[in-house]
Amino acid sequence: MIDILIIEDNEQLQKYLCDCLRTFDYMPHVLVDYDDLLNTLNRIKPKLILLDINLPKFDGFYYLKQIQKITSVPIIMISARNDESEQIRGIEGGAYDYITKPFSIGVLMAKINALLSHNTSNDEYLQVGDLILSKTCMTLEFNAKILKLSKNEYKILNLLLERPSHCFSRDEILEALWDDASFVDDNTLTVNMTRVKKKLNQLGLKQVILTKRGMGYAFVMENS
């Protein structure tokens, strides 16, 4: 089942959302301790977050920023604040959508179904195990830690993650980086590959890119 995190302090609405999500075979989780948000994200690894704005301690815009520091999971904001400026602030702040209260549960579920169905098609990201490569943001995420990638780092990982365990030749990787690889110094690929490995090491993933002498490179990850 797909996990969805609900950040909403109204207990009646919490229950209503949970019941509706279960009807559609989603697994809802309600954030109980707002100070434990980051640990909750790391433990649950939700595929979607429903975020209210009027919350205890800090408002939803604060939590929107905190969440985006560590994960690229899509966020739908749900709020009684219906001013256009608030909606623009939410969308420009990185929210996938902004829905005003009172809302139609049918419309909300349609948006959730469309979003998760679209993501499942891998149009926006590649996922191998718990490693997620965002195609739209050019970021790499693992265990709630997220890193920005350079253009070449992204291109290399996008190729390798498309076919885990497959050995790509140096020529194939060079062609993915440059349209005409015939004039590219072979050492350039080695430099770029070293940078990719360093990014993976920062996420705690060591020796997941294997160098096969005379053949090329392969991404190999346990449980991939």
Side-chain angles (χ1 to χ4, degrees):
M1 298 178 74
I2 296 176
D3 295 288
I4 297 177
L5 180 62
I6 300 170
I7 306 179
E8 165 66 60
D9 63 333
N10 184 301
E11 293 184 3
Q12 185 176 358
L13 184 53
Q14 287 176 7
K15 184 178 184 305
Y16 182 51
L17 288 171
C18 286
D19 289 344
C20 292
L21 289 170
R22 290 192 187 99
T23 299
F24 283 83
D25 292 325
Y26 294 119
M27 178 60 71
H29 304 267
V30 176
L31 181 66
V32 177
D33 184 355
Y34 290 87
D35 292 327
D36 196 43
L37 171 61
L38 302 187
N39 287 331
T40 300
L41 289 172
N42 189 32
R43 175 171 50 85
I44 296 174
K45 296 182 176 63
K47 298 301 182 186
L48 173 67
I49 296 174
L50 302 180
L51 175 63
D52 187 20
I53 293 182
N54 296 321
L55 295 168
K57 200 169 184 179
F58 299 105
D59 67 15
F61 294 111
Y62 169 83
Y63 292 110
L64 177 65
K65 290 181 180 178
Q66 296 306 305
I67 292 168
Q68 291 184 320
K69 288 180 180 179
I70 63 168
T71 180
S72 56
V73 62
I75 299 169
I76 295 179
M77 303 192 81
I78 303 175
S79 175
R81 300 185 189 180
N82 57 9
D83 290 346
E84 182 178 329
S85 60
E86 296 287 282
Q87 298 178 48
I88 293 173
R89 182 183 176 190
I91 298 299
E92 290 186 342
Y96 175 83
D97 205 342
Y98 188 112
I99 296 178
T100 58
K101 300 176 182 176
F103 58 87
S104 161
I105 191 63
V107 171
L108 175 60
M109 292 310 305
K111 288 177 178 287
I112 291 174
N113 290 335
L115 169 61
L116 294 177
S117 174
H118 179 62
N119 278 352
T120 302
S121 70
N122 291 336
D123 288 334
E124 294 185 353
Y125 68 85
L126 276 173
Q127 181 166 359
V128 178
D130 291 328
L131 182 67
I132 301 172
L133 176 70
S134 171
K135 296 183 178 184
T136 54
C137 302
M138 288 207 309
T139 57
L140 193 63
E141 178 184 345
F142 184 72
N143 285 347
K145 186 175 182 180
I146 187 166
L147 296 177
K148 281 282 188 182
L149 300 173
S150 69
K151 184 178 180 180
N152 282 349
E153 290 167 350
Y154 165 77
K155 286 183 175 181
I156 290 173
L157 283 167
N158 186 55
L159 179 67
L160 296 179
L161 296 184
E162 283 279 5
R163 298 176 64 186
S165 300
H166 175 78
C167 183
F168 289 90
S169 69
R170 295 178 70 88
D171 286 343
E172 287 177 310
I173 300 173
L174 284 170
E175 288 175 5
L177 292 173
W178 296 279
D179 293 334
D180 186 357
S182 59
F183 299 103
V184 178
D185 185 348
D186 191 58
N187 186 57
T188 303
L189 176 58
T190 302
V191 171
N192 279 276
M193 194 63 71
T194 299
R195 290 172 179 166
V196 169
K197 290 178 179 179
K198 285 182 179 179
K199 285 288 175 72
L200 291 166
N201 285 342
Q202 289 177 45
L203 295 175
L205 294 171
K206 299 181 179 180
Q207 298 181 342
V208 291
I209 293 182
L210 304 183
T211 303
K212 299 188 178 183
R213 184 170 296 180
M215 297 177 63
Y217 298 91
F219 181 90
V220 179
M221 183 174 173
E222 291 184 7
N223 302 321
S224 65

